[in-house]
């Protein structure tokens, strides 16, 4: 599935009927995955499995303008089917699949099968920077996939992280930064590597406590700040203008979208543009705003609470490497919309475990309060 998602982000998507073929592959994988999951869990009617898989598979194939619904359905599918898989091994397999898919696209681009399109931008000092697509549909796709591959690789290594791993992450990301000029993904990758180096070298507890705290609260803080600034944005405020410029004017595009689609509890039916704002399509790359506009505040809160549960679970296990990955994902989501894309964030398989940890924690506290209450009553009776 991840392999197909990457190919659909490249010039493969321009091949006639390629999208239909990938939907057919989704159907086959869905049938196999659901069947294996039911078979491993309990004895059920095999005919029922087939009917459910056919209905969902056909639904995926025939939908034309509902890519967001497909994404959410596949996201839930990935969460349920893979929730019991060991996450580090899953990340290892994710890295292998995504690297192979990207190398395939790069190779086809190098030999001329796919065009290496480009665009350029003028920097503040008058320089021209070229941004190459490298066989993908936009200039940022390759760099963003490399960013998520790096996070998955770092999560897989964790305490085994060494200097050679840092080089293995930094060198290809640097090359992609030079070719695509995708700044946010590159500098966030460097930040992740730096924090991993500190976690390996610093033995004092204050740094780990800070990482644990930030992993839980960074996402709600970033989301709240982004929504507040977007709803109160005005060009007369130099601070907001500076923030907008730092985010490559993403905030301005988001404000235009908010005028047509105000944030509500349950979201709006929005068409997103890939490269620019039009009368019928909106350009919003900032995840928290995009999620609030399209799915509503309630859905955004569900996502944030799930990631907070994941962070709390990592912190309880003193897995500060996992906490670091959550912080970087929260930071990346300020400017980019990939947080709910299963082809980018393999840790989504732990999302339901985040809620399970929250439930277990509250249940344990409730049992403790009941136990203390019973002991107190016995003490008073005596």
């Amino acid at each position: 599935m991840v392999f197909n998602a990457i190919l659909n982000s490249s010039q493969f998507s321009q091949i006639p009927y390629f999208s239909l073929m990938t939907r057919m592959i989704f159907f086959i994988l869905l049938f196999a995955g659901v069947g294996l999951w039911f078979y491993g869990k309990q004895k059920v009617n095999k005919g029922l499995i087939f009917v459910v898989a056919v209905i969902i598979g056909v639904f995926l194939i025939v939908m034309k303008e509902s890519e967001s619904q497909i994404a959410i359905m596949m996201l839930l599918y990935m969460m349920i089917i893979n929730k019991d898989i060991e996450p580090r091994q899953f990340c290892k397999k994710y890295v292998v699949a995504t690297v192979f898919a990207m190398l395939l696209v790069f190779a086809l681009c190098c030999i001329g099968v796919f065009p290496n399109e480009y665009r350029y931008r003028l920097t503040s000092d008058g320089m021209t920077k070229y941004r190459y697509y490298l066989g993908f549909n936009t200039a940022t796709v390759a760099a963003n996939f490399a960013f998520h591959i790096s996070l998955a690789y770092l999560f897989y290594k964790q305490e085994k992280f060494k200097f050679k791993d840092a080089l293995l992450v930094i060198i290809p990301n640097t090359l992609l930064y030079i070719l695509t000029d995708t700044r946010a993904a590159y500098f966030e990758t460097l930040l992740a590597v730096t924090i991993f180096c500190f976690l390996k070298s610093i033995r004092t507890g204050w740094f780990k406590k800070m990482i644990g705290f930030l992993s839980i609260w960074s996402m709600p803080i970033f989301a709240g700040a982004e929504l507040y600034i977007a709803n109160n944005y005005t060009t007369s405020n130099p601070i907001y203008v500076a923030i907008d410029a730092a985010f490559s004017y993403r905030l301005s595009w988001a404000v235009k979208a908010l005028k047509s689609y105000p944030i509500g509890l349950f979201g709006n039916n929005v068409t997103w543009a890939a490269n620019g704002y039009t009368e019928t399509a909106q350009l919003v790359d900032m995840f928290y705003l995009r999620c609030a506009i399209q799915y509503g505040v309630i859905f955004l809160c569900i996502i944030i609470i799930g990631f907070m549960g994941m962070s709390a679970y990592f912190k309880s296990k003193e897995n500060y490497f996992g906490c670091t990955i959550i912080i970087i994902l929260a930071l990346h989501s300020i400017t980019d919309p990939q947080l709910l894309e299963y082809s980018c964030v393999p840790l989504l398989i732990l999302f339901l475990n985040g809620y399970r940890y929250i439930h277990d924690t509250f249940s344990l506290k409730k049992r403790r309060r009941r136990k203390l209450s019973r002991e107190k009553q016995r003490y008073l009776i005596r």
Side-chain angles (χ1 to χ4, degrees):
M1 290 183 181
V2 172
F3 190 85
N4 286 331
I6 294 177
L7 296 187
N8 269 306
S9 301
S10 70
Q11 291 294 316
F12 273 104
S13 62
Q14 306 302 318
I15 300 174
Y17 302 109
F18 184 80
S19 178
L20 178 61
M21 288 189 294
T22 55
R23 290 174 193 269
M24 294 290 290
I25 293 172
F26 273 147
F27 162 70
I28 296 171
L29 293 176
L30 183 70
F31 173 75
V34 172
L36 290 173
W37 185 76
F38 273 108
Y39 181 79
K41 291 294 181 181
Q42 53 187 332
K43 293 183 179 180
V44 295
N45 190 323
K46 294 181 179 180
L48 178 62
I49 296 175
F50 178 81
V51 171
V52 171
V54 168
I55 292 174
I56 297 177
V58 171
F59 183 58
L60 289 173
I61 293 171
V62 300
M63 280 194 298
K64 300 295 184 182
E65 303 298 332
S66 302
E67 296 300 325
S68 61
Q69 286 85 343
I70 293 176
I72 294 300
M73 181 177 293
M74 295 309 300
L75 173 63
L76 290 173
Y77 166 71
M78 291 289 287
M79 289 178 181
I80 294 171
I81 297 299
N82 297 310
K83 67 183 181 64
D84 296 322
I85 294 178
E86 206 287 313
R88 292 177 69 172
Q89 292 303 316
F90 186 81
C91 285
K92 178 182 178 181
K93 295 176 181 177
Y94 168 85
V95 170
V96 173
T98 49
V99 168
F100 181 75
M102 290 187 69
L103 289 177
L104 175 61
V105 175
F106 290 154
L108 292 175
C109 181
C110 289
I111 64 177
V113 175
F114 291 159
N116 188 15
E117 300 175 358
Y118 68 89
R119 58 190 176 97
Y120 63 89
R121 70 177 182 89
L122 296 176
T123 63
S124 57
D125 55 2
M127 293 181 61
T128 301
K129 287 200 171 184
Y130 289 90
R131 310 187 70 183
Y132 295 95
Y133 289 22
L134 303 177
F136 289 92
N137 293 334
T138 64
T140 60
V141 172
N144 276 308
F145 271 124
F147 164 76
H148 290 291
I149 290 170
S150 300
L151 293 189
Y153 180 75
L154 290 174
F155 185 82
Y156 167 67
K157 298 301 291 188
Q158 293 194 25
E159 71 281 350
K160 297 180 181 178
F161 175 79
K162 297 180 180 179
F163 179 72
K164 64 178 182 180
D165 298 311
L167 293 178
L168 192 60
V169 169
I170 291 174
I171 292 174
N173 277 277
T174 301
L175 292 174
L176 286 173
Y177 169 65
I178 294 171
L179 292 171
T180 67
D181 192 35
T182 305
R183 292 165 290 176
Y186 176 65
F187 291 113
E188 287 158 0
T189 302
L190 294 183
L191 177 61
V193 172
T194 302
I195 295 176
F196 266 61
C197 291
F198 273 106
L199 289 173
K200 287 287 291 184
S201 58
I202 296 179
R203 301 300 178 184
T204 54
W206 68 268
F207 185 74
K208 294 180 178 179
K209 289 180 179 179
M210 181 184 68
I211 293 298
F213 175 83
L214 289 176
S215 69
I216 296 175
W217 295 106
S218 57
M219 194 167 288
I221 291 173
F222 292 155
E226 188 168 287
L227 294 176
Y228 176 83
I229 292 173
N231 278 286
N232 294 277
Y233 178 82
T234 173
T235 54
S236 61
N237 189 323
I239 296 177
Y240 289 164
V241 173
I243 294 173
D244 190 23
F247 290 166
S248 300
Y249 303 101
R250 287 178 170 89
L251 198 54
S252 299
W253 296 116
V255 171
K256 289 182 180 180
L258 285 174
K259 292 179 180 178
S260 302
Y261 301 97
I263 294 174
L265 293 178
F266 301 103
N268 303 277
N269 185 19
V270 189
T271 301
W272 300 114
N275 295 307
Y277 170 85
T278 67
E279 293 297 325
T280 58
Q282 310 294 323
L283 178 63
V284 180
D285 285 340
M286 309 168 86
F287 170 77
Y288 305 115
L289 270 170
R290 184 169 177 145
C291 185
I293 291 172
Q294 184 167 16
Y295 300 116
V297 174
I298 293 177
F299 185 82
L300 177 61
C301 290
I302 290 172
I303 297 303
I304 291 174
I305 292 171
F307 275 95
M308 292 176 72
M310 290 170 58
S311 300
Y313 173 77
F314 286 143
K315 184 180 178 182
S316 70
K317 299 296 183 180
E318 296 186 352
N319 184 355
Y320 297 104
F321 298 103
C323 290
T324 300
I325 301 301
I326 300 296
I327 294 173
I328 301 301
L329 286 173
L331 181 63
H332 187 71
S333 298
I334 295 176
T335 57
D336 289 87
Q338 300 108 23
L339 186 63
L340 294 185
E341 296 181 16
Y342 61 89
S343 59
C344 293
V345 186
L347 285 185
L348 283 171
I349 64 170
L350 294 176
F351 185 82
L352 296 180
N353 290 352
Y355 272 96
R356 180 188 297 174
Y357 177 77
I358 294 173
H359 173 268
D360 293 345
T361 301
F362 279 103
S363 297
L364 179 61
K365 290 182 179 180
K366 186 182 291 186
R367 288 196 297 270
R368 286 177 176 174
R369 284 197 299 266
R370 288 177 179 176
K371 183 178 179 181
L372 289 174
S373 178
R374 288 196 297 267
E375 291 178 351
K376 185 177 180 180
Q377 288 178 357
R378 285 198 295 267
Y379 177 78
L380 290 175
I381 291 173
R382 291 178 184 177

